[in-house]
Amino acid sequence: MAVTQQLARVPAEYLAACRQEAGASPDGEFRWNPPAEDVLDLDWAPVLLERVCALAGLDDVLLHGLRRATEGDASVDVGFLATPPYAIGPFGPAPAALSPAGAAHVSELLGQIDLRAVLATLPAEETEAAALVGDGADGIAGGLRKYLLEHFHALRDFYREASRRQLLLVLWWD
């Protein structure tokens, strides 16, 4: 089974309730179960998106925003979500998060990235583009460009909705 990046949009109150559950439970159970419509499976697109944007020479501020979108930051402590035996994301780095303000800022930055223009900097031939990108890009069914556009738009729209609803973002690999 492949390890993929997961994102969840949650209200601060929900995260606080999970933290409180973990503290009150003898075994640290935090009852993490965000609604399915507020969870995004980004597959393994983050690595490829960052690689393509770096190859294209994307502005450092926008590239940093893309990284924050998939790595989070230290603004919200979600360490309790990494506590066995109920840890989410036991196969990757510890879960991370972004505050509502952080998510709004990332949403703004993602909205400034023209991924079609970024992808236009790759070689026109799909196999050449995939070879340049590396990281398994040659094995993507349906083509690298289509895959990255779909996943980037899903990420951008997910953040846009989190910003609109003033929600936290929690990120993990599972």
Side-chain angles (χ1 to χ4, degrees):
M1 175 187 246
V3 177
T4 62
Q5 176 144 56
Q6 308 295 307
L7 294 88
R9 299 180 290 228
V10 297
E13 299 80 16
Y14 178 80
L15 193 62
C18 289
R19 185 179 284 113
Q20 186 175 9
E21 283 281 336
S25 170
D27 59 357
E29 168 62 70
F30 43 79
R31 303 194 191 288
W32 176 256
N33 191 23
E37 64 272 12
D38 285 321
V39 175
L40 174 64
D41 182 342
L42 203 52
D43 200 35
W44 45 282
V47 173
L48 298 175
L49 284 168
E50 183 177 339
R51 174 87 171 124
V52 166
C53 288
L55 286 170
L58 186 69
D59 174 82
D60 286 344
V61 172
L62 298 179
L63 190 56
H64 179 70
L66 177 62
R67 282 190 193 113
R68 274 186 78 200
T70 60
E71 295 175 4
D73 62 33
S75 67
V76 181
D77 176 19
V78 291
F80 72 94
L81 294 173
T83 305
Y86 302 104
I88 63 171
F91 305 111
L98 286 167
S99 67
H105 184 246
V106 165
S107 175
E108 180 182 318
L109 293 173
L110 291 175
Q112 295 176 39
I113 298 174
D114 181 351
L115 197 66
R116 289 189 190 279
V118 166
L119 293 173
T121 68
L122 294 175
E125 168 56 40
E126 188 74 22
T127 56
E128 288 179 39
L132 177 65
V133 173
D135 292 313
D138 58 341
I140 296 174
L144 174 65
R145 286 175 177 81
K146 180 180 180 217
Y147 175 86
L148 291 177
L149 280 169
E150 287 175 3
H151 285 81
F152 177 77
H153 290 152
L155 178 68
R156 184 196 60 206
D157 295 348
F158 196 77
Y159 267 90
R160 186 178 293 143
E161 182 64 13
S163 176
R164 186 187 72 74
R165 294 168 50 199
Q166 299 180 337
L167 298 175
L168 293 152
L169 261 289
V170 177
L171 310 94
W172 69 100
W173 287 87
D174 194 16

